[in-house]
Amino acid sequence: MADFVQKTVNKTAVRDLSVPLPNVTSFNNLIQMVIDDNPFGCVGYTGSDGQPVAAVVRNREHYTAKVNFLDGEGKRVGTISIQSPTIAAFEANAAEVMDNATLEAAMGGEAVRNSPGETYYCQLKCHDPTGDDYYVTFTRKSVRISSYQDDTIRNAVETWADTVGTLN
């Protein structure tokens, strides 16, 4: 019988934020800062299709808007969650729900955006100079580093995160 032989050691580390990121704009600014500034020292490369790949790219993302429906006494009588693939879609879909009189009538209450209940998720794919790919995933409440092998990667991300006030 053949045994499984370990080939790599992939690690995951999480930093829970003491205060959730306040809104989708600050969340997006943080993501774009990482992509633009490349604080982890990642490098671009040529993909298997022969096309250039940037050092840091958005790998996966989704954003969930929440809308509550409140009756005349302020009691929640309904809620809608709508997950969108981009921030533009997130904003457009939330606005559509907020402005939909038919939904308000069906729910029996006024549409009120539940911004504190909304969620944001963006996973960045980073290409380390050693050739390893790893992921830095941001949510409203945490930052996760995954699929890294070398602790210098975690240290680089942690050192950077320590300088960003919203990530403490």
Side-chain angles (χ1 to χ4, degrees):
M1 181 178 319
D3 292 330
F4 282 91
V5 177
Q6 182 174 332
K7 297 290 184 182
T8 61
V9 178
N10 289 324
K11 301 175 186 177
T12 298
V14 178
R15 175 181 281 201
D16 292 322
L17 306 181
S18 57
V19 177
L21 294 170
N23 54 53
V24 76
T25 300
S26 62
F27 181 84
N28 191 52
N29 289 343
L30 178 67
I31 300 302
Q32 200 58 51
M33 178 177 64
V34 174
I35 293 169
D36 293 344
D37 297 348
N38 188 10
F40 317 137
C42 298
V43 296
Y45 62 100
T46 302
S48 59
D49 61 358
Q51 295 299 312
V53 179
V56 179
V57 296
R58 290 178 191 246
N59 190 51
R60 287 187 202 124
E61 60 186 317
H62 59 82
Y63 305 86
T64 303
K66 303 267 186 172
V67 177
N68 291 334
F69 292 85
L70 307 179
D71 68 11
E73 298 172 6
K75 180 182 175 192
R76 186 175 70 196
V77 293
T79 188
I80 290 181
S81 297
I82 186 164
Q83 189 177 82
S84 303
T86 65
I87 291 172
F90 165 83
E91 295 293 5
N93 290 332
E96 182 68 29
V97 170
M98 292 292 296
D99 294 337
N100 191 315
T102 303
L103 268 176
E104 280 190 334
M107 289 288 198
E110 178 186 357
V112 177
R113 188 96 177 246
N114 177 5
S115 296
E118 294 178 336
T119 60
Y120 321 135
Y121 173 96
C122 185
Q123 181 185 71
L124 300 178
K125 182 177 181 182
C126 305
H127 189 73
D128 192 66
T130 64
D132 288 335
D133 289 329
Y134 64 96
Y135 301 91
V136 180
T137 304
F138 294 85
T139 69
R140 197 167 187 183
K141 297 178 179 181
S142 68
V143 180
R144 174 184 304 272
I145 314 160
S146 57
S147 297
Y148 69 95
Q149 295 179 35
D150 190 338
D151 285 337
T152 59
I153 291 172
R154 187 202 58 202
N155 293 341
V157 175
E158 188 167 37
T159 298
W160 168 79
D162 288 345
T163 69
V164 180
T166 56
L167 299 181
N168 293 309

